[in-house]
Amino acid sequence: MTNSKAELLNIKKRFNDQCDSLARYIDLMENITDLPKWSRIQYVIDILKKYHLFTDSCEEEKYEDMLTNDPGKLMSFFKNCSQDLNDKISHFEGLLNLAKESRVLEKNENNEMNDAMDESIMQYIRFGFYDEKNSIEEIQELQDYFDNENKALLLAQNKLNKEYVEDYNKKINEEKFILLKNTFVCEILEYNLSILQEIVRDLERFDVLVKVNDEENVLNVYRQGFILLIAGFDASIFDMIKVLLTNKFFEYIANFNKEGKIKLQDMSNYNNFENLRDEIIISALRGKYIKDLLEILKKLDVQHVNEHYSNLIECVKRRNIHLHNQGKVDAQYLENCNIFGFTEGKIAKIDSDYLVDVFELCDDTIESIYNWINVKI
């Protein structure tokens, strides 16, 4: 096998490897970008309602139906409360910063008081406000707690066992109790913040997943796969044409640049014919697009290009409108290739079925061009 034939084969193998990697990427994305289950969305809605951040009064069945049939609309409900959610988080962060400015009790690496007595008393205080196993259900009670800071001390004192207080009265003085209260305030604020920050992460992920699954969105996985596929297809054809022209320069260069001229004086700048030839090839291909090369290959009667020319041009033009016009059909797309009957302004979606067809079309075309050039060189 000559070096040129080996180079041509490597270009074909490179494209095949790109297709295999791209197919695996799409398969992976299909498996990890499923929309969340209704139970998780229901949890998010419940939390937002408990913090008075989700005010829409639709029945839950309606939201569940949106998740299946119109997730974008469901996301719009969440976006309507996103600013209030961020404001609530900022509010809690401000309270937490203020609380930390007060004196609080130090904790060890296990998040317990350094002093066993203090930790024991804290347990009484914690149990007075919430059960960690069911804390979500008592969010509103904790919200009420922030309305009256002194309520913390009063409620905690009421929750403490009277006998326990009397036994350790000297140690549980008012100053110590204020320290315990401040420490508990930080715990509650951190707890609330962790819940709301978790909801923010849920909504951010849901927003991305909605876009990835939306065939009209620029983040759609099939759209991204399609653009990458045509980019590899484009590069492979250009590289194959360069191999053809390098080996059969005089036979084919006129097909790619009929009006190209070079001055004799300029020819003297090159040390040998190979350098001159390479410069002419670069000049001939400069400014040409993939559709130009496909048109030339069609005229050269490359079988698969000739038979599927309209579909190939449609793929290229669809790639262009997705790169430059958010997938909306324009006048340039409609010119000579509207095989799907689109109207101007309509989005030319990239779905799974279309992408599978394009994979096959591009693979067969590269194979056909490879075989044609391989015979010529």
Side-chain angles (χ1 to χ4, degrees):
M1 180 182 290
T2 65
N3 290 337
S4 295
K5 286 181 177 290
E7 182 181 2
L8 186 68
L9 180 60
N10 286 335
I11 294 170
K12 183 177 81 104
K13 287 182 175 179
R14 182 190 70 193
F15 178 73
N16 292 337
D17 289 343
Q18 290 174 340
C19 288
D20 289 342
S21 297
L22 189 54
R24 288 195 297 271
Y25 160 76
I26 292 171
D27 184 60
L28 173 64
M29 292 298 290
E30 285 176 330
N31 288 318
I32 67 174
T33 56
D34 288 339
L35 291 171
K37 294 181 178 179
W38 165 244
S39 58
R40 188 63 191 178
I41 296 298
Q42 190 176 36
Y43 166 80
V44 170
I45 291 175
D46 287 344
I47 294 299
L48 291 174
K49 283 183 176 180
K50 288 180 184 298
Y51 282 89
H52 304 290
L53 298 172
F54 194 88
T55 56
D56 189 77
S57 58
C58 295
E59 297 294 329
E60 283 194 351
E61 289 79 6
K62 180 178 177 181
Y63 301 127
E64 187 173 4
D65 181 68
M66 284 183 198
L67 178 63
T68 303
N69 299 310
D70 193 359
K73 185 175 182 180
L74 178 58
M75 188 64 222
S76 68
F77 282 102
F78 290 133
K79 286 184 176 180
N80 289 337
C81 64
S82 61
Q83 185 59 53
D84 290 337
L85 173 58
N86 291 327
D87 290 343
K88 181 70 73 174
I89 289 175
S90 297
H91 173 64
F92 283 160
E93 288 175 336
L95 289 175
L96 181 59
N97 290 332
L98 288 173
K100 286 183 175 179
E101 289 177 2
S102 305
R103 292 175 61 201
V104 295
L105 293 168
E106 295 183 358
K107 297 183 179 182
N108 59 28
E109 59 186 14
N110 296 320
N111 203 35
E112 297 175 343
M113 305 295 124
N114 285 333
D115 185 283
M117 170 72 69
D118 294 340
E119 178 61 29
S120 182
I121 297 174
M122 267 308 264
Q123 291 296 339
Y124 275 80
I125 297 176
R126 292 186 186 115
F127 293 155
F129 282 95
Y130 64 93
D131 174 356
E132 289 180 300
K133 294 181 180 179
N134 196 34
S135 53
I136 300 301
E137 298 303 321
E138 300 179 11
I139 291 296
Q140 189 55 50
E141 181 181 343
L142 299 180
Q143 292 280 113
D144 295 339
Y145 153 74
F146 291 117
D147 295 335
N148 185 353
E149 188 174 323
N150 291 327
K151 192 175 181 181
L153 183 60
L154 295 173
L155 286 177
Q157 285 175 328
N158 291 334
K159 296 292 183 182
L160 284 171
N161 183 286
K162 247 185 181 182
E163 185 177 338
Y164 188 94
V165 174
E166 290 171 357
D167 287 345
Y168 298 97
N169 188 50
K170 292 181 180 179
K171 293 195 174 184
I172 312 177
N173 53 35
E174 185 173 349
E175 181 181 0
K176 172 57 72 71
F177 211 93
I178 292 298
L179 287 174
L180 287 162
K181 184 207 71 170
N182 289 343
T183 304
F184 180 63
V185 168
C186 288
E187 285 188 2
I188 295 299
L189 286 167
E190 288 169 347
Y191 168 75
N192 279 264
L193 275 171
S194 68
I195 292 175
L196 293 181
Q197 288 165 346
E198 178 189 23
I199 297 303
V200 169
R201 290 190 293 271
D202 273 326
L203 293 183
E204 288 174 346
R205 176 172 171 76
F206 182 51
D207 186 36
V208 172
L209 291 176
V210 168
K211 292 174 180 176
V212 168
N213 284 277
D214 182 358
E215 293 174 353
E216 296 187 2
N217 194 277
V218 295
L219 292 181
N220 178 258
V221 62
Y222 300 125
R223 177 188 182 275
Q224 295 298 322
F226 170 72
I227 290 173
L228 291 172
L229 174 61
I230 300 301
F233 179 69
D234 185 323
S236 297
I237 290 181
F238 267 89
D239 290 344
M240 285 183 166
I241 294 298
K242 288 177 184 176
V243 173
L244 172 69
L245 294 178
T246 299
N247 287 271
K248 296 293 180 179
F249 178 77
F250 294 106
E251 291 91 329
Y252 291 103
I253 189 63
N255 292 281
F256 295 88
N257 192 2
K258 292 181 179 180
E259 300 178 359
K261 297 179 180 179
I262 186 167
K263 297 179 180 179
L264 293 176
Q265 181 178 355
D266 293 336
M267 292 178 64
S268 64
N269 295 328
Y270 299 94
N271 296 326
N272 52 55
F273 170 73
E274 286 74 20
N275 289 340
L276 173 62
R277 175 201 63 197
D278 292 345
E279 180 59 32
I280 293 175
I281 291 173
I282 291 173
S283 177
L285 296 180
R286 185 182 297 122
K288 284 187 168 51
Y289 299 98
I290 181 64
K291 63 182 180 61
D292 301 320
L293 297 190
L294 289 170
E295 183 178 355
I296 294 170
L297 291 171
K298 178 176 180 288
K299 291 177 180 178
L300 290 171
D301 202 26
V302 178
Q303 183 178 359
H304 195 271
V305 176
N306 205 355
E307 293 174 354
H308 300 276
Y309 180 73
S310 296
N311 293 85
L312 289 166
I313 295 300
E314 192 280 330
C315 290
V316 172
K317 287 191 173 185
R318 191 179 295 212
R319 186 272 305 266
N320 292 343
I321 61 175
H322 274 277
L323 282 176
H324 305 297
N325 201 33
Q326 296 181 317
K328 295 177 182 177
V329 171
D330 56 18
Q332 191 171 7
Y333 172 90
L334 293 174
E335 184 180 349
N336 300 326
C337 85
N338 189 21
I339 60 178
F340 290 96
F342 289 128
T343 55
E344 189 166 354
K346 183 178 178 62
I347 292 179
K349 298 179 183 178
I350 312 294
D351 58 20
S352 177
D353 292 338
Y354 177 80
L355 187 57
V356 168
D357 290 341
V358 175
F359 260 107
E360 183 178 353
L361 176 65
C362 290
D363 184 58
D364 290 344
T365 301
I366 291 295
E367 184 70 29
S368 177
I369 295 172
Y370 165 79
N371 290 332
W372 183 79
I373 295 176
N374 194 46
V375 171
K376 300 297 181 182
I377 63 175

